[in-house]
Amino acid sequence: MSTLVANSLFQQLTATFQELETSNDTAEVKSLRQEAFARFQELGFPTVKNEDWKYTNIQPLVNKTYLLNEDVDVADIDLSKADIPNLDAHQIVLINGQYVLAFSSLEDEIGLTVKSIEDAQDEENFQKHFAKHADKTGSAMVALNTALHTSGVYLSVAKNKVVSKPIHIVHVATGAQDFFAQTRNLYVVEPNAEVEIIESFIALDDAAKNLNNKVTEIVVEENAKLQHYYLQLSSDTSSYINHVEIYQTKHSLYNNYNCNFPGVAFVRNDLNVRMDAQEVESHLYGINLLADKQFVDNHTIVDHMKPHGESYEWYKNIPQDESTAVFNGKIFVREDAQKTNAFQQNNNMLIGDKSTVFTKPQLEIFADDVKCSHGCTMGQFDDEALFYLRARGIGEESARILLVHAFAFDVTSRFSNEVVRAFVEDRVAKGLERN
């Protein structure tokens, strides 16, 4: 364990783990918790000495005490911060990770199963996949989550089911005292099924400081399709450590659209895609518009394990003021993954003399019959282009928005949901209006 971590927090976590040992978990889940907590005790919280956390110091977040497993008053919860105009979707609401049925609306979707994670332990897909994917990564934060999770949602789409409209999952942070939430999610899309999931992260106006350690395991089975959006809309009282592990089988498609906007204080996203079959396809897109002293770190892994796979990744960072963006994208092409086609690109536009970007695209190829490329660009806001537009009668604020929209267009134009695309482009405009 890192000696930098406050003993009081570690004692809290240990006490919480001991309480969970007497819970109503199945014997298998109790065993998983025990193994995971032992692993976390051995690893400790990651520090900047760890190469994957070189620019991401979480010690200020973990060197304090929190309320753990706080009961939340769900009366009069205002979800308006998560509203997406013109979006017709089912709704799932998690408050500090707890699935709240009263705020959720799933109507009669036959073939769609949604339960709290603790109530799903008898489900066949839960028993088949829970802690079978993310825990193989050796992550200390995943181990902590596996050991101490007390909330989250289980979502399963049955074979051949096409969900009639998107599912909007709203993650709400609220509470009068500083809290640390461990949320665990499992999404399984069975063969030939299709679903679109939009996840929005918000904090209520009166929310205290909160640290959220979220782990989501996603299984996309043969010929299944999942469109997956992450919209980070939270406030500066919130910090998030998200680990998303995707496991794909033959002919499946997984697309991820990861968007972070001004407000949230700290975000670390680990997004790992394991393409464990032939003819698998995955696209990862990211837009990160940051401001003030925000810190957002996106670490991605695309692991081509079998032949004839295709992946496409494009992340764009736009840090303003004193904000910091980190991008570390890894593509692995295994020895058996012949005929792989993999593309990765990271472009960065810095607005302000004190904004910072750290970027590290990586490509490791162990097969010889492949088409792979990666690249990175870095530049500041184009004052000459701004002058050109202003000279033609366009106001400075409008000109700024036009230039940033043009920069972001390569990514936003690839969003499959036009309503979400319009929402994201509007949030980009609003995030620039403050300058």
Side-chain angles (χ1 to χ4, degrees):
M1 181 186 67
S2 169
T3 57
L4 296 175
V5 175
N7 287 333
S8 54
L9 177 57
F10 187 77
Q11 290 166 356
Q12 282 184 286
L13 297 173
T14 301
T16 300
F17 173 71
Q18 291 170 346
E19 292 173 6
L20 290 172
E21 287 190 303
T22 63
S23 67
N24 295 323
D25 291 333
T26 64
E28 183 178 1
V29 172
K30 286 183 178 180
S31 177
L32 288 170
R33 287 190 189 274
Q34 291 167 353
E35 294 172 5
F37 195 69
R39 192 160 61 249
F40 172 71
Q41 286 179 304
E42 178 184 351
L43 295 171
F45 285 102
T47 72
V48 293
K49 293 181 180 180
N50 183 313
E51 181 64 25
D52 281 343
W53 294 78
K54 182 177 180 180
Y55 303 110
T56 311
N57 183 10
I58 68 168
Q59 298 307 314
L61 297 175
V62 301
N63 274 314
K64 58 189 298 186
T65 58
Y66 296 92
L67 284 179
L68 305 177
N69 304 330
E70 180 188 16
D71 290 330
V72 179
D73 182 5
V74 299
D76 302 320
I77 293 290
D78 181 7
L79 302 177
S80 60
K81 288 185 178 181
D83 288 348
I84 300 176
N86 303 314
L87 178 68
D88 179 22
H90 297 303
Q91 181 172 270
I92 295 173
V93 176
L94 303 181
I95 299 179
N96 293 356
Q98 298 292 337
Y99 173 43
V100 182
L101 186 59
F103 289 104
S104 302
S105 58
L106 293 170
E107 302 170 2
D108 297 323
E109 279 280 3
I110 298 172
L112 174 64
T113 301
V114 178
K115 294 184 176 181
S116 66
I117 199 73
E118 61 267 31
D119 291 336
Q121 294 182 16
D122 291 331
E123 292 282 336
E124 181 180 353
N125 280 331
F126 180 97
Q127 296 171 358
K128 184 178 180 181
H129 294 293
F130 180 78
K132 300 299 193 297
H133 306 288
D135 290 77
K136 292 181 179 179
T137 63
S139 165
M141 300 308 296
V142 170
L144 177 61
N145 180 280
T146 301
L148 296 181
H149 72 275
T150 56
S151 61
V153 67
Y154 166 86
L155 187 154
S156 180
V157 184
K159 184 177 180 179
N160 300 321
K161 169 66 177 179
V162 177
V163 180
S164 63
K165 55 186 179 181
I167 300 172
H168 189 194
I169 302 177
V170 181
H171 300 267
V172 183
T174 184
Q177 299 183 61
D178 295 358
F179 65 89
F180 187 7
Q182 307 279 343
T183 305
R184 185 60 169 250
N185 305 311
L186 174 61
Y187 310 151
V188 180
V189 189
E190 294 186 358
N192 302 303
E194 297 183 21
V195 64
E196 181 174 74
I197 297 175
I198 302 162
E199 302 198 46
S200 297
F201 298 80
I202 64 171
L204 301 189
D205 290 338
D206 58 352
K209 295 287 186 180
N210 56 92
L211 175 59
N212 302 271
N213 182 30
K214 296 180 179 288
V215 175
T216 302
E217 291 179 297
I218 299 173
V219 179
V220 189
E221 297 190 340
E222 185 171 348
N223 206 39
K225 297 178 181 179
L226 172 56
Q227 306 287 344
H228 191 195
Y229 294 84
Y230 259 59
L231 306 177
Q232 180 52 260
L233 309 169
S234 198
S235 73
D236 60 4
T237 61
S238 298
S239 297
Y240 292 84
I241 300 173
N242 296 319
H243 185 111
V244 183
E245 193 78 18
I246 301 98
Y247 181 80
Q248 291 183 254
T249 61
K250 191 173 182 180
H251 296 302
S252 64
L253 171 67
Y254 174 80
N255 289 343
N256 182 280
Y257 311 86
N258 179 10
C259 305
N260 295 274
F261 302 104
V264 65
F266 175 100
V267 177
R268 165 65 182 243
N269 290 318
D270 284 279
L271 178 63
N272 300 341
V273 181
R274 311 293 179 183
M275 308 172 76
D276 193 15
Q278 295 189 42
E279 299 177 22
V280 173
E281 185 174 352
S282 184
H283 301 146
L284 310 180
Y285 300 107
I287 287 289
N288 301 287
L289 175 68
L290 314 180
D292 300 319
K293 295 185 178 181
Q294 276 185 287
F295 181 95
V296 173
D297 177 358
N298 288 296
H299 267 60
T300 67
I301 293 176
V302 178
D303 192 354
H304 288 267
M305 304 166 71
K306 299 291 173 62
H308 299 283
E310 182 172 335
S311 67
Y312 191 96
E313 180 175 11
W314 203 340
Y315 267 67
K316 293 207 172 188
N317 297 317
I318 312 164
Q320 306 172 91
D321 306 320
E322 299 178 53
S323 61
T324 300
V326 180
F327 174 77
N328 188 320
K330 300 178 183 177
I331 296 176
F332 294 103
V333 182
R334 304 296 178 179
E335 186 175 358
D336 292 337
Q338 303 293 344
K339 303 295 183 180
T340 288
N341 187 2
F343 170 86
Q344 181 193 87
Q345 182 73 22
N346 172 227
N347 304 111
N348 304 279
M349 176 190 289
L350 289 84
I351 303 179
D353 294 337
K354 296 183 179 180
S355 59
T356 305
V357 168
F358 298 101
T359 180
K360 186 180 180 182
Q362 295 176 261
L363 185 58
E364 296 188 24
I365 303 174
F366 302 97
D368 53 16
D369 187 6
V370 300
K371 293 181 180 179
C372 298
S373 66
H374 68 168
C376 172
T377 64
M378 192 86 64
Q380 293 184 319
F381 191 83
D382 191 340
D383 289 326
E384 289 187 6
L386 180 64
F387 176 80
Y388 177 88
L389 291 174
R390 294 192 67 193
R392 279 148 182 80
I394 300 175
E396 181 174 358
E397 183 176 295
S398 297
R400 281 179 173 272
I401 293 172
L402 283 172
L403 290 173
V404 174
H405 270 179
F407 177 76
F409 178 78
D410 294 320
V411 171
T412 59
S413 65
R414 296 168 189 267
F415 284 28
S416 63
N417 187 309
E418 291 295 330
V419 172
V420 176
R421 174 186 173 180
F423 175 78
V424 168
E425 291 180 343
D426 181 65
R427 294 292 301 201
V428 169
K430 289 179 178 176
L432 294 166
E433 288 172 355
R434 42 187 298 285
N435 286 315

